[in-house]
PDB file of all heavy atoms in Angstrom:
ATOM      1  N   LEU A   1     112.193  89.000 106.943  1.00  0.00           N
ATOM      2  CA  LEU A   1     111.612  90.303 106.916  1.00  0.00           C
ATOM      3  C   LEU A   1     112.678  91.286 107.342  1.00  0.00           C
ATOM      4  O   LEU A   1     113.168  91.112 108.401  1.00  0.00           O
ATOM      5  CB  LEU A   1     110.398  90.419 107.759  1.00  0.00           C
ATOM      6  CG  LEU A   1     109.133  89.721 107.246  1.00  0.00           C
ATOM      7  CD1 LEU A   1     108.064  89.834 108.209  1.00  0.00           C
ATOM      8  CD2 LEU A   1     108.629  90.303 105.925  1.00  0.00           C
ATOM      9  N   PRO A   2     112.775  92.387 106.652  1.00  0.00           N
ATOM     10  CA  PRO A   2     113.691  93.514 107.046  1.00  0.00           C
ATOM     11  C   PRO A   2     113.222  94.029 108.357  1.00  0.00           C
ATOM     12  O   PRO A   2     112.010  94.185 108.642  1.00  0.00           O
ATOM     13  CB  PRO A   2     113.634  94.488 105.900  1.00  0.00           C
ATOM     14  CG  PRO A   2     113.062  93.778 104.676  1.00  0.00           C
ATOM     15  CD  PRO A   2     112.181  92.695 105.267  1.00  0.00           C
ATOM     16  N   GLU A   3     114.059  94.540 109.145  1.00  0.00           N
ATOM     17  CA  GLU A   3     113.730  95.248 110.462  1.00  0.00           C
ATOM     18  C   GLU A   3     113.187  96.597 110.170  1.00  0.00           C
ATOM     19  O   GLU A   3     112.326  97.139 110.873  1.00  0.00           O
ATOM     20  CB  GLU A   3     114.964  95.370 111.338  1.00  0.00           C
ATOM     21  CG  GLU A   3     115.321  93.956 112.082  1.00  0.00           C
ATOM     22  CD  GLU A   3     114.265  93.298 112.899  1.00  0.00           C
ATOM     23  OE1 GLU A   3     113.524  94.105 113.551  1.00  0.00           O
ATOM     24  OE2 GLU A   3     114.206  92.164 112.944  1.00  0.00           O
ATOM     25  N   ASP A   4     113.865  97.277 109.043  1.00  0.00           N
ATOM     26  CA  ASP A   4     113.460  98.626 108.813  1.00  0.00           C
ATOM     27  C   ASP A   4     111.982  98.662 108.243  1.00  0.00           C
ATOM     28  O   ASP A   4     111.627  97.989 107.296  1.00  0.00           O
ATOM     29  CB  ASP A   4     114.351  99.297 107.693  1.00  0.00           C
ATOM     30  CG  ASP A   4     113.974 100.703 107.306  1.00  0.00           C
ATOM     31  OD1 ASP A   4     114.019 101.514 108.174  1.00  0.00           O
ATOM     32  OD2 ASP A   4     113.552 100.794 106.195  1.00  0.00           O
ATOM     33  N   PRO A   5     111.076  99.485 108.828  1.00  0.00           N
ATOM     34  CA  PRO A   5     109.786  99.535 108.422  1.00  0.00           C
ATOM     35  C   PRO A   5     109.564  99.833 106.951  1.00  0.00           C
ATOM     36  O   PRO A   5     108.634  99.310 106.285  1.00  0.00           O
ATOM     37  CB  PRO A   5     109.136 100.527 109.316  1.00  0.00           C
ATOM     38  CG  PRO A   5     109.833 100.542 110.514  1.00  0.00           C
ATOM     39  CD  PRO A   5     111.198 100.396 109.981  1.00  0.00           C
ATOM     40  N   VAL A   6     110.389 100.829 106.423  1.00  0.00           N
ATOM     41  CA  VAL A   6     110.191 101.206 104.956  1.00  0.00           C
ATOM     42  C   VAL A   6     110.540 100.053 104.074  1.00  0.00           C
ATOM     43  O   VAL A   6     109.874  99.707 103.116  1.00  0.00           O
ATOM     44  CB  VAL A   6     110.873 102.503 104.761  1.00  0.00           C
ATOM     45  CG1 VAL A   6     110.943 102.812 103.338  1.00  0.00           C
ATOM     46  CG2 VAL A   6     110.410 103.650 105.449  1.00  0.00           C
ATOM     47  N   ALA A   7     111.618  99.443 104.426  1.00  0.00           N
ATOM     48  CA  ALA A   7     112.146  98.276 103.537  1.00  0.00           C
ATOM     49  C   ALA A   7     111.272  97.162 103.624  1.00  0.00           C
ATOM     50  O   ALA A   7     110.824  96.491 102.530  1.00  0.00           O
ATOM     51  CB  ALA A   7     113.550  97.840 103.977  1.00  0.00           C
ATOM     52  N   ARG A   8     110.590  96.918 104.847  1.00  0.00           N
ATOM     53  CA  ARG A   8     109.607  95.765 104.908  1.00  0.00           C
ATOM     54  C   ARG A   8     108.356  96.096 104.206  1.00  0.00           C
ATOM     55  O   ARG A   8     107.835  95.299 103.457  1.00  0.00           O
ATOM     56  CB  ARG A   8     109.271  95.608 106.493  1.00  0.00           C
ATOM     57  CG  ARG A   8     108.250  94.550 106.673  1.00  0.00           C
ATOM     58  CD  ARG A   8     108.257  94.233 108.210  1.00  0.00           C
ATOM     59  NE  ARG A   8     107.200  93.247 108.595  1.00  0.00           N
ATOM     60  CZ  ARG A   8     106.928  92.878 109.848  1.00  0.00           C
ATOM     61  NH1 ARG A   8     107.587  93.448 110.804  1.00  0.00           N
ATOM     62  NH2 ARG A   8     105.984  92.056 110.159  1.00  0.00           N
ATOM     63  N   ALA A   9     108.020  97.231 104.213  1.00  0.00           N
ATOM     64  CA  ALA A   9     106.778  97.682 103.527  1.00  0.00           C
ATOM     65  C   ALA A   9     106.882  97.571 102.033  1.00  0.00           C
ATOM     66  O   ALA A   9     106.048  97.221 101.280  1.00  0.00           O
ATOM     67  CB  ALA A   9     106.221  99.125 103.812  1.00  0.00           C
ATOM     68  N   GLN A  10     108.037  97.981 101.489  1.00  0.00           N
ATOM     69  CA  GLN A  10     108.324  98.020 100.079  1.00  0.00           C
ATOM     70  C   GLN A  10     108.431  96.483  99.544  1.00  0.00           C
ATOM     71  O   GLN A  10     108.043  96.179  98.435  1.00  0.00           O
ATOM     72  CB  GLN A  10     109.705  98.668  99.843  1.00  0.00           C
ATOM     73  CG  GLN A  10     109.697 100.210  99.984  1.00  0.00           C
ATOM     74  CD  GLN A  10     111.006 100.838  99.815  1.00  0.00           C
ATOM     75  OE1 GLN A  10     112.150 100.156  99.926  1.00  0.00           O
ATOM     76  NE2 GLN A  10     110.985 102.145  99.615  1.00  0.00           N
ATOM     77  N   LEU A  11     108.976  95.615 100.474  1.00  0.00           N
ATOM     78  CA  LEU A  11     108.934  94.267 100.073  1.00  0.00           C
ATOM     79  C   LEU A  11     107.653  93.660  99.912  1.00  0.00           C
ATOM     80  O   LEU A  11     107.127  92.877  99.036  1.00  0.00           O
ATOM     81  CB  LEU A  11     109.897  93.394 101.106  1.00  0.00           C
ATOM     82  CG  LEU A  11     110.058  91.898 100.690  1.00  0.00           C
ATOM     83  CD1 LEU A  11     110.704  91.857  99.359  1.00  0.00           C
ATOM     84  CD2 LEU A  11     110.911  91.239 101.887  1.00  0.00           C
ATOM     85  N   MET A  12     106.672  94.078 100.923  1.00  0.00           N
ATOM     86  CA  MET A  12     105.424  93.574 100.851  1.00  0.00           C
ATOM     87  C   MET A  12     104.726  94.136  99.635  1.00  0.00           C
ATOM     88  O   MET A  12     103.702  93.446  99.046  1.00  0.00           O
ATOM     89  CB  MET A  12     104.759  94.084 102.200  1.00  0.00           C
ATOM     90  CG  MET A  12     105.114  93.472 103.474  1.00  0.00           C
ATOM     91  SD  MET A  12     104.483  94.276 105.024  1.00  0.00           S
ATOM     92  CE  MET A  12     102.709  93.749 104.950  1.00  0.00           C
ATOM     93  N   ARG A  13     104.944  95.389  99.261  1.00  0.00           N
ATOM     94  CA  ARG A  13     104.310  95.889  98.057  1.00  0.00           C
ATOM     95  C   ARG A  13     104.758  95.089  96.794  1.00  0.00           C
ATOM     96  O   ARG A  13     103.807  94.867  95.892  1.00  0.00           O
ATOM     97  CB  ARG A  13     104.638  97.308  97.913  1.00  0.00           C
ATOM     98  CG  ARG A  13     104.016  98.359  98.958  1.00  0.00           C
ATOM     99  CD  ARG A  13     104.684  99.670  98.972  1.00  0.00           C
ATOM    100  NE  ARG A  13     104.283 100.436 100.166  1.00  0.00           N
ATOM    101  CZ  ARG A  13     105.159 101.370 100.665  1.00  0.00           C
ATOM    102  NH1 ARG A  13     106.143 101.835  99.944  1.00  0.00           N
ATOM    103  NH2 ARG A  13     104.746 102.030 101.674  1.00  0.00           N
ATOM    104  N   GLU A  14     105.986  94.738  96.738  1.00  0.00           N
ATOM    105  CA  GLU A  14     106.445  93.997  95.582  1.00  0.00           C
ATOM    106  C   GLU A  14     105.706  92.704  95.520  1.00  0.00           C
ATOM    107  O   GLU A  14     105.374  92.204  94.404  1.00  0.00           O
ATOM    108  CB  GLU A  14     107.903  93.727  95.753  1.00  0.00           C
ATOM    109  CG  GLU A  14     108.835  94.958  95.525  1.00  0.00           C
ATOM    110  CD  GLU A  14     110.247  94.810  95.842  1.00  0.00           C
ATOM    111  OE1 GLU A  14     110.749  93.679  96.165  1.00  0.00           O
ATOM    112  OE2 GLU A  14     111.002  95.854  95.868  1.00  0.00           O
ATOM    113  N   ASN A  15     105.576  91.996  96.635  1.00  0.00           N
ATOM    114  CA  ASN A  15     104.815  90.775  96.663  1.00  0.00           C
ATOM    115  C   ASN A  15     103.339  90.801  96.143  1.00  0.00           C
ATOM    116  O   ASN A  15     102.895  90.007  95.571  1.00  0.00           O
ATOM    117  CB  ASN A  15     104.897  90.049  98.077  1.00  0.00           C
ATOM    118  CG  ASN A  15     106.188  89.519  98.374  1.00  0.00           C
ATOM    119  OD1 ASN A  15     107.062  89.289  97.458  1.00  0.00           O
ATOM    120  ND2 ASN A  15     106.591  89.279  99.598  1.00  0.00           N
ATOM    121  N   MET A  16     102.723  91.957  96.638  1.00  0.00           N
ATOM    122  CA  MET A  16     101.441  92.101  96.339  1.00  0.00           C
ATOM    123  C   MET A  16     101.161  92.364  94.812  1.00  0.00           C
ATOM    124  O   MET A  16     100.110  91.992  94.234  1.00  0.00           O
ATOM    125  CB  MET A  16     100.704  93.282  97.057  1.00  0.00           C
ATOM    126  CG  MET A  16      99.297  93.545  96.772  1.00  0.00           C
ATOM    127  SD  MET A  16      98.472  94.746  97.922  1.00  0.00           S
ATOM    128  CE  MET A  16      98.140  93.544  99.174  1.00  0.00           C
ATOM    129  N   ARG A  17     102.198  92.958  94.152  1.00  0.00           N
ATOM    130  CA  ARG A  17     102.044  93.357  92.679  1.00  0.00           C
ATOM    131  C   ARG A  17     101.893  91.976  91.907  1.00  0.00           C
ATOM    132  O   ARG A  17     101.281  92.023  90.806  1.00  0.00           O
ATOM    133  CB  ARG A  17     103.323  94.147  92.256  1.00  0.00           C
ATOM    134  CG  ARG A  17     103.451  95.456  92.663  1.00  0.00           C
ATOM    135  CD  ARG A  17     102.523  96.318  91.839  1.00  0.00           C
ATOM    136  NE  ARG A  17     102.619  97.791  92.199  1.00  0.00           N
ATOM    137  CZ  ARG A  17     101.902  98.850  91.667  1.00  0.00           C
ATOM    138  NH1 ARG A  17     101.172  98.561  90.715  1.00  0.00           N
ATOM    139  NH2 ARG A  17     102.137  99.974  92.013  1.00  0.00           N
ATOM    140  N   VAL A  18     102.424  90.856  92.394  1.00  0.00           N
ATOM    141  CA  VAL A  18     102.409  89.669  91.742  1.00  0.00           C
ATOM    142  C   VAL A  18     100.992  89.088  91.645  1.00  0.00           C
ATOM    143  O   VAL A  18     100.484  88.450  90.569  1.00  0.00           O
ATOM    144  CB  VAL A  18     103.270  88.578  92.377  1.00  0.00           C
ATOM    145  CG1 VAL A  18     103.139  87.225  91.738  1.00  0.00           C
ATOM    146  CG2 VAL A  18     104.632  89.091  92.357  1.00  0.00           C
ATOM    147  N   MET A  19     100.054  89.439  92.574  1.00  0.00           N
ATOM    148  CA  MET A  19      98.714  88.999  92.614  1.00  0.00           C
ATOM    149  C   MET A  19      97.691  89.988  92.112  1.00  0.00           C
ATOM    150  O   MET A  19      96.572  89.768  92.090  1.00  0.00           O
ATOM    151  CB  MET A  19      98.408  88.856  94.141  1.00  0.00           C
ATOM    152  CG  MET A  19      99.075  87.801  94.865  1.00  0.00           C
ATOM    153  SD  MET A  19      98.719  87.348  96.584  1.00  0.00           S
ATOM    154  CE  MET A  19      99.162  88.803  97.211  1.00  0.00           C
ATOM    155  N   GLU A  20      98.153  91.262  91.542  1.00  0.00           N
ATOM    156  CA  GLU A  20      97.185  92.127  91.066  1.00  0.00           C
ATOM    157  C   GLU A  20      96.405  91.680  89.913  1.00  0.00           C
ATOM    158  O   GLU A  20      96.999  91.120  88.994  1.00  0.00           O
ATOM    159  CB  GLU A  20      97.811  93.421  90.829  1.00  0.00           C
ATOM    160  CG  GLU A  20      98.754  93.625  89.684  1.00  0.00           C
ATOM    161  CD  GLU A  20      99.432  94.924  89.684  1.00  0.00           C
ATOM    162  OE1 GLU A  20      99.489  95.587  90.651  1.00  0.00           O
ATOM    163  OE2 GLU A  20      99.878  95.329  88.501  1.00  0.00           O
ATOM    164  N   PRO A  21      95.143  92.064  89.741  1.00  0.00           N
ATOM    165  CA  PRO A  21      94.439  91.633  88.373  1.00  0.00           C
ATOM    166  C   PRO A  21      94.753  92.469  87.153  1.00  0.00           C
ATOM    167  O   PRO A  21      95.454  93.356  87.268  1.00  0.00           O
ATOM    168  CB  PRO A  21      92.969  91.956  88.840  1.00  0.00           C
ATOM    169  CG  PRO A  21      93.050  93.132  89.725  1.00  0.00           C
ATOM    170  CD  PRO A  21      94.436  92.890  90.512  1.00  0.00           C
ATOM    171  N   GLU A  22      94.194  91.999  86.077  1.00  0.00           N
ATOM    172  CA  GLU A  22      94.508  92.693  84.897  1.00  0.00           C
ATOM    173  C   GLU A  22      93.809  94.010  84.958  1.00  0.00           C
ATOM    174  O   GLU A  22      92.693  94.177  85.587  1.00  0.00           O
ATOM    175  CB  GLU A  22      93.933  91.970  83.647  1.00  0.00           C
ATOM    176  CG  GLU A  22      94.803  90.668  83.277  1.00  0.00           C
ATOM    177  CD  GLU A  22      96.254  91.106  82.846  1.00  0.00           C
ATOM    178  OE1 GLU A  22      96.324  92.255  82.113  1.00  0.00           O
ATOM    179  OE2 GLU A  22      97.258  90.460  83.201  1.00  0.00           O
ATOM    180  N   PRO A  23      94.253  95.185  84.393  1.00  0.00           N
ATOM    181  CA  PRO A  23      93.585  96.481  84.593  1.00  0.00           C
ATOM    182  C   PRO A  23      92.248  96.385  83.717  1.00  0.00           C
ATOM    183  O   PRO A  23      92.211  95.757  82.692  1.00  0.00           O
ATOM    184  CB  PRO A  23      94.577  97.416  83.983  1.00  0.00           C
ATOM    185  CG  PRO A  23      95.488  96.576  83.090  1.00  0.00           C
ATOM    186  CD  PRO A  23      95.628  95.246  83.759  1.00  0.00           C
ATOM    187  N   SER A  24      91.285  97.055  84.193  1.00  0.00           N
ATOM    188  CA  SER A  24      90.076  97.129  83.529  1.00  0.00           C
ATOM    189  C   SER A  24      90.195  98.211  82.277  1.00  0.00           C
ATOM    190  O   SER A  24      90.765  99.254  82.519  1.00  0.00           O
ATOM    191  CB  SER A  24      88.899  97.794  84.530  1.00  0.00           C
ATOM    192  OG  SER A  24      87.866  98.225  83.788  1.00  0.00           O
ATOM    193  N   PRO A  25      89.553  97.863  81.174  1.00  0.00           N
ATOM    194  CA  PRO A  25      89.570  98.696  79.949  1.00  0.00           C
ATOM    195  C   PRO A  25      88.790  99.987  80.262  1.00  0.00           C
ATOM    196  O   PRO A  25      88.949 100.895  79.576  1.00  0.00           O
ATOM    197  CB  PRO A  25      89.117  97.942  78.730  1.00  0.00           C
ATOM    198  CG  PRO A  25      88.305  96.884  79.509  1.00  0.00           C
ATOM    199  CD  PRO A  25      89.053  96.502  80.775  1.00  0.00           C
ATOM    200  N   MET A  26      87.904  99.955  81.312  1.00  0.00           N
ATOM    201  CA  MET A  26      87.127 101.028  81.467  1.00  0.00           C
ATOM    202  C   MET A  26      87.863 102.133  82.425  1.00  0.00           C
ATOM    203  O   MET A  26      87.366 103.201  82.478  1.00  0.00           O
ATOM    204  CB  MET A  26      85.914 100.573  82.332  1.00  0.00           C
ATOM    205  CG  MET A  26      84.790 101.730  82.548  1.00  0.00           C
ATOM    206  SD  MET A  26      83.290 100.887  83.335  1.00  0.00           S
ATOM    207  CE  MET A  26      82.252 102.308  83.405  1.00  0.00           C
ATOM    208  N   ALA A  27      88.781 101.695  83.137  1.00  0.00           N
ATOM    209  CA  ALA A  27      89.561 102.573  84.044  1.00  0.00           C
ATOM    210  C   ALA A  27      90.304 103.676  83.276  1.00  0.00           C
ATOM    211  O   ALA A  27      90.873 103.384  82.225  1.00  0.00           O
ATOM    212  CB  ALA A  27      90.511 101.833  84.858  1.00  0.00           C
ATOM    213  N   VAL A  28      90.258 104.949  83.891  1.00  0.00           N
ATOM    214  CA  VAL A  28      90.920 105.963  83.288  1.00  0.00           C
ATOM    215  C   VAL A  28      91.890 106.581  84.386  1.00  0.00           C
ATOM    216  O   VAL A  28      91.141 106.913  85.607  1.00  0.00           O
ATOM    217  CB  VAL A  28      89.977 107.141  82.793  1.00  0.00           C
ATOM    218  CG1 VAL A  28      90.768 108.327  82.350  1.00  0.00           C
ATOM    219  CG2 VAL A  28      89.152 106.549  81.617  1.00  0.00           C
ATOM    220  N   GLU A  29      93.074 106.793  84.282  1.00  0.00           N
ATOM    221  CA  GLU A  29      93.945 107.320  85.234  1.00  0.00           C
ATOM    222  C   GLU A  29      93.919 108.864  85.114  1.00  0.00           C
ATOM    223  O   GLU A  29      94.037 109.465  84.123  1.00  0.00           O
ATOM    224  CB  GLU A  29      95.370 106.795  85.153  1.00  0.00           C
ATOM    225  CG  GLU A  29      95.389 105.303  85.510  1.00  0.00           C
ATOM    226  CD  GLU A  29      96.875 104.748  85.403  1.00  0.00           C
ATOM    227  OE1 GLU A  29      97.808 105.504  84.953  1.00  0.00           O
ATOM    228  OE2 GLU A  29      97.000 103.564  85.866  1.00  0.00           O
ATOM    229  N   ASP A  30      93.933 109.532  86.315  1.00  0.00           N
ATOM    230  CA  ASP A  30      93.970 111.099  86.281  1.00  0.00           C
ATOM    231  C   ASP A  30      94.645 111.407  87.565  1.00  0.00           C
ATOM    232  O   ASP A  30      95.009 110.559  88.435  1.00  0.00           O
ATOM    233  CB  ASP A  30      92.540 111.446  86.127  1.00  0.00           C
ATOM    234  CG  ASP A  30      92.489 113.004  85.658  1.00  0.00           C
ATOM    235  OD1 ASP A  30      93.538 113.734  85.632  1.00  0.00           O
ATOM    236  OD2 ASP A  30      91.272 113.319  85.188  1.00  0.00           O
ATOM    237  N   THR A  31      94.629 112.770  87.857  1.00  0.00           N
ATOM    238  CA  THR A  31      95.059 113.265  89.132  1.00  0.00           C
ATOM    239  C   THR A  31      94.088 114.422  89.504  1.00  0.00           C
ATOM    240  O   THR A  31      93.447 114.977  88.772  1.00  0.00           O
ATOM    241  CB  THR A  31      96.494 113.846  89.149  1.00  0.00           C
ATOM    242  OG1 THR A  31      96.541 114.933  88.069  1.00  0.00           O
ATOM    243  CG2 THR A  31      97.479 112.814  88.717  1.00  0.00           C
ATOM    244  N   ILE A  32      94.053 114.549  90.880  1.00  0.00           N
ATOM    245  CA  ILE A  32      93.257 115.642  91.519  1.00  0.00           C
ATOM    246  C   ILE A  32      94.240 116.362  92.446  1.00  0.00           C
ATOM    247  O   ILE A  32      95.125 115.893  92.958  1.00  0.00           O
ATOM    248  CB  ILE A  32      91.951 115.204  92.179  1.00  0.00           C
ATOM    249  CG1 ILE A  32      92.392 114.214  93.402  1.00  0.00           C
ATOM    250  CG2 ILE A  32      91.138 114.439  91.189  1.00  0.00           C
ATOM    251  CD1 ILE A  32      91.124 113.870  94.111  1.00  0.00           C
ATOM    252  N   PRO A  33      93.863 117.692  92.755  1.00  0.00           N
ATOM    253  CA  PRO A  33      94.681 118.348  93.707  1.00  0.00           C
ATOM    254  C   PRO A  33      94.599 117.879  95.128  1.00  0.00           C
ATOM    255  O   PRO A  33      93.568 117.412  95.564  1.00  0.00           O
ATOM    256  CB  PRO A  33      94.174 119.811  93.649  1.00  0.00           C
ATOM    257  CG  PRO A  33      93.282 119.916  92.394  1.00  0.00           C
ATOM    258  CD  PRO A  33      92.906 118.551  92.132  1.00  0.00           C
ATOM    259  N   GLY A  34      95.807 117.763  95.800  1.00  0.00           N
ATOM    260  CA  GLY A  34      95.772 117.248  97.192  1.00  0.00           C
ATOM    261  C   GLY A  34      96.591 118.106  98.070  1.00  0.00           C
ATOM    262  O   GLY A  34      97.101 119.063  97.636  1.00  0.00           O
ATOM    263  N   PRO A  35      96.486 117.841  99.279  1.00  0.00           N
ATOM    264  CA  PRO A  35      97.206 118.709 100.333  1.00  0.00           C
ATOM    265  C   PRO A  35      98.677 118.669 100.240  1.00  0.00           C
ATOM    266  O   PRO A  35      99.378 119.519 100.801  1.00  0.00           O
ATOM    267  CB  PRO A  35      96.722 118.071 101.740  1.00  0.00           C
ATOM    268  CG  PRO A  35      96.325 116.693 101.429  1.00  0.00           C
ATOM    269  CD  PRO A  35      95.855 116.710 100.064  1.00  0.00           C
ATOM    270  N   ALA A  36      99.317 117.664  99.602  1.00  0.00           N
ATOM    271  CA  ALA A  36     100.699 117.618  99.333  1.00  0.00           C
ATOM    272  C   ALA A  36     101.133 117.433  97.884  1.00  0.00           C
ATOM    273  O   ALA A  36     102.095 116.834  97.642  1.00  0.00           O
ATOM    274  CB  ALA A  36     101.373 116.433 100.220  1.00  0.00           C
ATOM    275  N   GLY A  37     100.238 117.946  97.047  1.00  0.00           N
ATOM    276  CA  GLY A  37     100.522 117.805  95.557  1.00  0.00           C
ATOM    277  C   GLY A  37      99.502 117.028  94.981  1.00  0.00           C
ATOM    278  O   GLY A  37      98.425 116.557  95.506  1.00  0.00           O
ATOM    279  N   ASP A  38      99.584 116.763  93.635  1.00  0.00           N
ATOM    280  CA  ASP A  38      98.483 115.932  92.983  1.00  0.00           C
ATOM    281  C   ASP A  38      98.320 114.431  93.432  1.00  0.00           C
ATOM    282  O   ASP A  38      99.311 113.872  93.837  1.00  0.00           O
ATOM    283  CB  ASP A  38      98.844 115.882  91.463  1.00  0.00           C
ATOM    284  CG  ASP A  38      98.617 117.174  90.816  1.00  0.00           C
ATOM    285  OD1 ASP A  38      97.952 118.097  91.351  1.00  0.00           O
ATOM    286  OD2 ASP A  38      99.163 117.404  89.613  1.00  0.00           O
ATOM    287  N   ILE A  39      97.183 114.062  93.558  1.00  0.00           N
ATOM    288  CA  ILE A  39      96.773 112.698  94.058  1.00  0.00           C
ATOM    289  C   ILE A  39      96.532 111.847  92.848  1.00  0.00           C
ATOM    290  O   ILE A  39      95.501 112.261  92.150  1.00  0.00           O
ATOM    291  CB  ILE A  39      95.786 112.728  95.098  1.00  0.00           C
ATOM    292  CG1 ILE A  39      95.972 113.692  96.245  1.00  0.00           C
ATOM    293  CG2 ILE A  39      95.364 111.263  95.657  1.00  0.00           C
ATOM    294  CD1 ILE A  39      94.699 113.775  97.207  1.00  0.00           C
ATOM    295  N   PRO A  40      97.039 110.742  92.513  1.00  0.00           N
ATOM    296  CA  PRO A  40      96.601 109.940  91.491  1.00  0.00           C
ATOM    297  C   PRO A  40      95.115 109.274  91.775  1.00  0.00           C
ATOM    298  O   PRO A  40      94.987 108.842  92.971  1.00  0.00           O
ATOM    299  CB  PRO A  40      97.665 108.738  91.330  1.00  0.00           C
ATOM    300  CG  PRO A  40      98.860 109.311  92.100  1.00  0.00           C
ATOM    301  CD  PRO A  40      98.394 110.272  93.049  1.00  0.00           C
ATOM    302  N   VAL A  41      94.436 109.125  90.860  1.00  0.00           N
ATOM    303  CA  VAL A  41      93.070 108.583  90.951  1.00  0.00           C
ATOM    304  C   VAL A  41      92.759 107.690  89.822  1.00  0.00           C
ATOM    305  O   VAL A  41      93.441 107.853  88.675  1.00  0.00           O
ATOM    306  CB  VAL A  41      91.940 109.544  91.192  1.00  0.00           C
ATOM    307  CG1 VAL A  41      92.174 110.382  92.498  1.00  0.00           C
ATOM    308  CG2 VAL A  41      91.773 110.502  89.927  1.00  0.00           C
ATOM    309  N   ARG A  42      91.908 106.732  90.087  1.00  0.00           N
ATOM    310  CA  ARG A  42      91.467 105.820  88.924  1.00  0.00           C
ATOM    311  C   ARG A  42      89.941 105.965  88.849  1.00  0.00           C
ATOM    312  O   ARG A  42      89.294 105.687  89.739  1.00  0.00           O
ATOM    313  CB  ARG A  42      91.792 104.349  89.292  1.00  0.00           C
ATOM    314  CG  ARG A  42      92.068 103.476  88.053  1.00  0.00           C
ATOM    315  CD  ARG A  42      92.694 102.325  88.600  1.00  0.00           C
ATOM    316  NE  ARG A  42      92.855 101.262  87.498  1.00  0.00           N
ATOM    317  CZ  ARG A  42      93.662 101.203  86.618  1.00  0.00           C
ATOM    318  NH1 ARG A  42      94.558 102.172  86.521  1.00  0.00           N
ATOM    319  NH2 ARG A  42      93.733 100.111  85.715  1.00  0.00           N
TER     320      ARG A  42
END
């Protein structure tokens, strides 16, 4: 594991992507306004 928290978190995210399910055909991606810019939503 990398010592740097950001690098470690990014590696964990890459590993999790392998386990993600197939996307639902019902899902629609969009954005809504947020405190630091648009927030992606599903």
Side-chain angles (χ1 to χ4, degrees):
L1 288 171
E3 290 293 329
D4 177 66
V6 174
R8 183 172 173 179
Q10 289 173 344
L11 187 57
M12 294 170 70
R13 292 168 195 160
E14 291 172 8
N15 285 343
M16 178 166 280
R17 287 281 182 182
V18 177
M19 299 183 291
E20 70 183 21
E22 290 294 319
S24 164
M26 187 179 184
V28 175
E29 294 184 348
D30 204 344
T31 61
I32 60 172
D38 287 346
I39 304 171
V41 297
R42 201 164 175 84

